[in-house]
Amino acid sequence: MSVPEDEERLLPLAQRWPRASKFLLSGCAATVAELATFPLDLTKTRLQMQGEAALARLGDGARESAPYRGMVRTALGIVQEEGFLKLWQGVTPAIYRHVVYSGGRMVTYEHLREVVFGKSEDKHYPLWKSVIGGMMAGVVGQFLANPTDLVKVQMQMEGKRKLEGKPLRFRGVHHAFAKILSEGGIRGLWAGWVPNIQRAALVNMGDLTTYDTVKHYLVLNTPLEDNITTHGLSSLCSGLVASILGTPADVIKSRIMNQPRDKQGRGLLYKSSTDCLIQAVQGEGFMSLYKGFLPSWLRMQSGWITQGHPVRPSTEFSRRLNPEHFPWARRFDLCDAILC
């Protein structure tokens, strides 16, 4: 056996299989973050469905009979009316989604960075390439994960259906996949994929560009240094911008995924994402596109804490830090640890 092979066997697993290790770590971090923040995601979905004007065409009286609830009242209502554990209804397909989404995004991003874009002449990877690569990787990852997102949204609304006296659609996660597949075919599993990938692209763009811009501004124009404080402020701003950009597409996505369907799996409320957008604005007003904004934003900020977003410093300033002095600043690529 050659000497290089002997030396390679002595290396830590993270250095021997860097991509596999990164995928495993990001998957574990995303799972912990999902479990911790899922009640916010469930609350967001319930808020997005409130006052859905298109239901009036089907003669559904839920829109008129149910009073509007804010984030806190919605969460408390779920606990009182359905039970505390129902705050995690749909968490299993959400975890499945992160496995597929993180894997697809990571593989795509690594390929774009190493094969398509490449590094600049000074061996650095510029921000604009990170942003474009992050957006494209997010789109690919989200497209692959769309079936899990579809099941998650529909399972999140099962408790509401039970309270309204409607029959439950699924007995569990696997039954949900099987039923959607049998009724709508493979195409049915990708219902709502257009607004879903639009949301992924907008969230990645808003998060990546805002984070780096704010971080540079704070370090260069204020007394703040490149530390956990500037990182926290940058993440706060980036999460806000990402939520502002992505919430309208998220509302459209959730409504298309949750709409009732005929026996062929075709939607009964909306013909397309554009039709859903028009009906929402005309029937409920422009601000209906921002239903669920607060829990969406809080979830991104909570994800920063639970998922360890301190591993996502600025591309330029992270190279100036000594990891021994700033262990939180070990550099991951900008798109590796975003909870979207």
Side-chain angles (χ1 to χ4, degrees):
M1 186 176 291
S2 64
V3 176
E5 290 179 344
D6 290 334
E7 294 178 353
E8 182 179 353
R9 292 183 61 184
L10 297 176
L11 292 174
L13 291 177
Q15 295 183 25
R16 292 167 61 186
W17 298 296
R19 292 189 181 182
S21 301
K22 186 184 293 185
F23 173 73
L24 180 62
L25 290 173
S26 63
C28 292
T31 300
V32 173
E34 191 66 55
L35 291 172
T37 65
F38 191 79
L40 287 171
D41 188 67
L42 176 66
T43 304
K44 175 203 71 174
T45 302
R46 294 288 183 92
L47 286 170
Q48 290 173 342
M49 303 300 177
Q50 282 193 142
E52 195 170 0
L55 289 174
R57 291 196 293 108
L58 292 181
D60 195 321
R63 179 172 178 253
E64 290 77 14
S65 62
Y68 182 81
R69 291 177 170 181
M71 181 185 73
V72 176
R73 288 187 61 194
T74 297
L76 291 177
I78 294 171
V79 173
Q80 294 170 355
E81 298 165 0
E82 305 172 39
F84 178 74
L85 292 180
K86 291 299 181 180
L87 288 172
W88 280 269
Q89 187 168 28
V91 72
T92 301
I95 294 175
Y96 290 168
R97 172 193 175 272
H98 270 299
V99 173
V100 178
Y101 178 67
S102 299
R105 184 176 59 176
M106 186 189 71
V107 171
T108 304
Y109 185 76
E110 294 283 350
H111 178 78
L112 290 173
R113 185 183 64 177
E114 297 178 6
V115 179
V116 179
F117 292 132
K119 295 184 178 181
S120 58
E121 295 181 357
D122 58 357
K123 302 301 181 181
H124 293 157
Y125 198 63
L127 175 63
W128 71 268
K129 290 184 178 180
S130 293
V131 172
I132 295 177
M135 290 177 63
M136 296 176 66
V139 165
V140 172
Q142 193 63 75
F143 179 79
L144 295 175
N146 195 82
T148 56
D149 236 343
L150 176 65
V151 172
K152 182 197 75 170
V153 169
Q154 294 195 8
M155 292 193 69
Q156 285 176 330
M157 295 302 297
E158 288 294 86
K160 178 80 176 296
R161 289 177 60 87
K162 186 176 182 179
L163 291 176
E164 294 174 351
K166 299 176 182 178
L168 298 182
R169 292 172 289 193
F170 314 119
R171 295 192 299 268
V173 179
H174 300 100
H175 178 246
F177 280 109
K179 185 177 180 181
I180 294 172
L181 184 62
S182 64
E183 293 179 352
I186 295 294
R187 185 177 180 180
L189 291 172
W190 268 266
W193 71 271
V194 174
N196 208 6
I197 66 170
Q198 289 173 344
R199 175 191 174 274
L202 291 169
V203 166
N204 278 278
M205 179 184 69
D207 190 276
L208 296 175
T209 55
T210 305
Y211 178 88
D212 205 75
T213 301
V214 173
K215 186 83 172 281
H216 278 67
Y217 178 84
L218 291 175
V219 173
L220 296 177
N221 298 282
T222 70
L224 295 175
E225 298 180 355
D226 188 4
N227 52 29
I228 190 66
T229 302
T230 54
H231 166 76
L233 292 173
S234 302
S235 295
L236 187 70
C237 294
S238 64
L240 177 62
V241 173
S243 296
I244 292 174
L245 293 176
T247 297
D250 197 23
V251 172
I252 302 303
K253 174 211 76 172
S254 296
R255 292 189 173 190
I256 289 179
M257 288 182 169
N258 188 62
Q259 68 174 324
R261 300 181 180 276
D262 59 20
K263 294 181 179 180
Q264 286 72 43
R266 294 173 298 191
L268 299 176
L269 297 180
Y270 311 111
K271 299 176 182 178
S272 64
S273 55
T274 303
D275 181 43
C276 182
L277 173 67
I278 293 173
Q279 289 196 50
V281 174
Q282 289 182 345
E284 306 164 52
F286 177 78
M287 292 309 297
S288 65
L289 299 177
Y290 283 92
K291 289 182 176 180
F293 171 81
L294 184 57
S296 177
W297 179 36
L298 291 177
R299 182 171 179 264
M300 288 190 180
Q301 302 311 135
S302 301
W304 170 75
I305 297 173
T306 56
Q307 196 174 345
H309 265 237
V311 298
R312 200 188 65 183
S314 155
T315 50
E316 177 180 347
F317 290 100
S318 62
R319 287 190 290 269
R320 302 178 184 175
L321 298 176
N322 185 345
E324 296 179 357
H325 298 158
F326 300 96
W328 57 269
R330 297 184 188 125
R331 182 179 177 273
F332 276 44
D333 293 302
L334 279 174
C335 81
D336 285 346
I338 302 174
L339 180 66
C340 359

